[in-house]
Amino acid sequence: MIYDGVKHFPGFVNREAQESLVLALREAVLAAPLFIPLMPRTGRPFSVRMTNMGSLGWVSDRNGYRYQAAHPDTSTPWPAMPQAILEIWQKVASYPHRPEACLVNFYQGGAKMGLHQDKDEEDFAAPVVSISLGDTALFRFGGTERGGKTSTVKLASGDVLVMGGNSRLCFHGIDRVYSGTSTLLKEGGRINLTMRRVAKPN
Ligand code: MD6
Ligand code: FE
């Protein structure tokens, strides 16, 4: 445990299951192409490319961050979340409802992710569950206030990370990805899947 409420499960997804997730993601990306999100206000592009699976997807553009039911470029609904991903959620989330959204982050060539909080969801009682695929990344983790002390943990292919409880609103990001550390993705790089419960269950 790196912080109260954060759980790291190294190698939770075995190689065979990682390979079938990659196949499912290739299908999903055909239906919902990767897009480059823009920072609200500044319009600066993210260095990661993104897409989503599920009934809702997370998007960012000049108007802000939000969840929406359709792809921003094609306006078609996001592809369904693969069953294997829902099963991982069921095993680790300790939360009785399904996630509606699975954000797919694709890191290539020096892409990284600045420190941020995941707070666009209505229900912070649900954790955010992430699955790492491909090259190892340096994940940085802090407290709930920007500028506080931080620590790091390496996330390798097949690792699952759960941010729940007291850690749900902690700042976190990806400092760097170590190229050539995994053979999973033929083109190299890293994929991170984050599952989120968006709506408060009734
Ligand atoms: C990443 N992950 O690993 C970025 N968010 O590429 C996240 O932003 C994240 O890993 C919430 C919970 C777990 C995460
Ligand atoms: Fe996040």
Side-chain angles (χ1 to χ4, degrees):
M1 190 201 280
I2 49 178
Y3 188 96
D4 184 30
V6 182
K7 291 184 220 152
H8 181 204
F9 301 96
F12 191 86
V13 183
N14 68 31
R15 175 72 186 214
E16 199 186 334
Q18 292 174 40
E19 284 168 4
S20 67
L21 277 180
V22 171
L23 287 179
L25 286 167
R26 291 193 194 289
E27 289 288 310
V29 165
L30 292 178
L34 293 165
F35 61 93
I36 300 174
L38 304 178
M39 292 293 291
R41 294 185 301 280
T42 65
R44 265 194 68 187
F46 282 53
S47 63
V48 297
R49 291 184 293 159
M50 293 181 180
T51 190
N52 291 272
M53 300 180 292
S55 55
L56 289 173
W58 187 87
V59 300
S60 179
D61 59 23
R62 282 179 180 277
N63 299 321
Y65 308 128
R66 66 192 170 275
Y67 283 94
Q68 62 183 42
H71 190 288
D73 300 331
T74 66
S75 299
T76 56
W78 305 104
M81 229 184 286
Q83 186 60 28
I85 289 178
L86 289 170
E87 283 170 12
I88 292 167
W89 170 275
Q90 279 154 11
K91 286 181 188 150
V92 303
S94 308
Y95 182 81
H97 305 281
R98 313 168 145 244
E100 302 101 324
C102 179
L103 172 64
V104 181
N105 288 145
F106 189 44
Y107 296 76
Q108 261 189 328
K112 51 195 178 171
M113 171 99 54
L115 285 175
H116 65 276
Q117 292 169 296
D118 288 18
K119 58 175 186 188
D120 302 314
E121 302 75 29
E122 289 171 15
D123 191 9
F124 298 138
V128 179
V129 173
S130 94
I131 307 167
S132 292
L133 297 169
D135 286 337
T136 297
L138 188 63
F139 183 79
R140 183 171 294 278
F141 200 81
T144 54
E145 305 288 329
R146 196 178 272 288
K149 255 212 326 235
T150 63
S151 50
T152 59
V153 63
K154 282 184 179 171
L155 297 179
S157 198
D159 288 12
V160 168
L161 190 84
V162 181
M163 279 177 45
N166 290 338
S167 72
R168 178 62 181 77
L169 291 173
C170 283
F171 280 89
H172 59 279
I174 295 292
D175 282 8
R176 59 168 298 189
V177 175
Y178 302 95
S179 67
T181 48
S182 166
T183 55
L184 184 70
L185 305 173
K186 281 191 288 291
E187 325 76 31
R190 172 175 184 264
I191 296 170
N192 182 258
L193 308 173
T194 49
M195 287 165 269
R196 296 105 187 281
R197 174 75 202 185
V198 179
K200 270 212 165 72
N202 42 39

